Amino acid sequence: MTVAKEHAARRGVIGAINEAHHRAVLGLYMVIVLAHWAEHLVQAYQIWVLGWARPQARGVLGMPFPWLVSSEWLHYGYAIVMLIGLFALRPGFVGRARTWWTIALAIQFWHHIEHLFLLLQVQAGFLLPGTSVPTSFAQLLIPRVELHLFYNSIVFLPMIVAMYLHLRPNEQELQLQRCNCTLEGRQRLAATNSGS
């Protein structure tokens, strides 16, 4: 077993994700994030450009599978996947990129709480006073479509800043990075794997 593989094995799955496999896992995670983001954008387009009524504006997947839009389990599931991904990938970020990634993580934690509250309302069969559907805290002030478009935006933007900075580290950050996202990182991991 090479030195790098022994080190990754000692650190477990999180170590492997944030070192030798950071680039691939981060890429897969971003595909999931962008697909979800596209769903919200299509739904917004259906409402504000096409003039569809909100119940008919279900995004791309919601058109053939309408139950997806109203499934609090699905929405909560995505919120938890986002939270787990942000948490699990965080050790691979250093310096300025880590700060921005942590901001996205903190915002997503709150977004997850909102979805958990919606899910609990459905599961327990209770509604907030004065509401006719499960309603999150912030949804008392902002309609659901706009609120979730906002939440996804304010989580996504610091993620993009983090990734930009992660792929363009300064000298100090480059020395701290242990992942394969930059050319220097791939070269360092290759040298470690070859035992030199």
Side-chain angles (χ1 to χ4, degrees):
M1 185 180 279
T2 66
V3 175
K5 287 181 183 174
E6 286 175 16
H7 180 69
R10 282 193 304 268
R11 295 205 40 217
V13 172
I14 297 296
I17 285 172
N18 287 290
E19 292 177 8
H21 304 294
H22 197 244
R23 185 176 183 183
V25 175
L26 189 56
L28 176 62
Y29 182 67
M30 289 311 293
V31 167
I32 294 166
V33 169
L34 290 171
H36 182 74
W37 179 245
E39 282 289 327
H40 281 284
L41 292 176
V42 168
Q43 186 181 34
Y45 180 82
Q46 290 168 338
I47 293 169
W48 297 314
V49 177
L50 299 178
W52 293 8
R54 286 173 187 258
Q56 281 69 49
R58 297 186 294 257
V60 176
L61 292 176
M63 297 309 290
F65 308 106
W67 59 270
L68 286 175
V69 174
S70 59
S71 169
E72 291 303 340
W73 274 109
L74 180 75
H75 292 287
Y76 179 74
Y78 177 75
I80 200 78
V81 164
M82 278 289 296
L83 187 63
I84 290 168
L86 284 162
F87 181 78
L89 289 163
R90 185 173 176 262
F93 289 86
V94 298
R96 301 166 300 155
R98 186 179 181 110
T99 299
W100 283 98
W101 196 260
T102 302
I103 290 168
L105 174 63
I107 297 167
Q108 182 59 30
F109 180 76
W110 173 252
H111 188 188
H112 153 266
I113 295 296
E114 290 264 292
H115 278 292
L116 178 61
F117 186 61
L118 289 165
L119 180 64
L120 291 174
Q121 287 176 66
V122 170
Q123 295 305 302
F126 78 91
L127 298 175
L128 293 177
T131 64
S132 59
V133 295
T135 305
S136 67
F137 302 112
Q139 198 177 334
L140 293 169
L141 303 171
I142 304 168
R144 185 168 181 150
V145 171
E146 290 84 347
L147 177 61
H148 288 281
L149 196 56
F150 172 73
Y151 273 141
N152 283 285
S153 297
I154 64 170
V155 171
F156 186 65
L157 290 175
M159 286 174 66
I160 293 301
V161 173
M163 291 192 49
Y164 178 84
L165 294 170
H166 182 64
L167 296 174
R168 291 160 185 81
N170 61 33
E171 285 300 316
Q172 182 182 12
E173 293 163 342
L174 190 57
Q175 297 305 313
L176 295 172
Q177 274 188 342
R178 296 289 168 245
C179 70
N180 64 342
C181 292
T182 62
L183 176 61
E184 294 85 354
R186 289 190 293 282
Q187 290 171 340
R188 181 174 40 244
L189 283 171
T192 304
N193 282 334
S194 68
S196 52

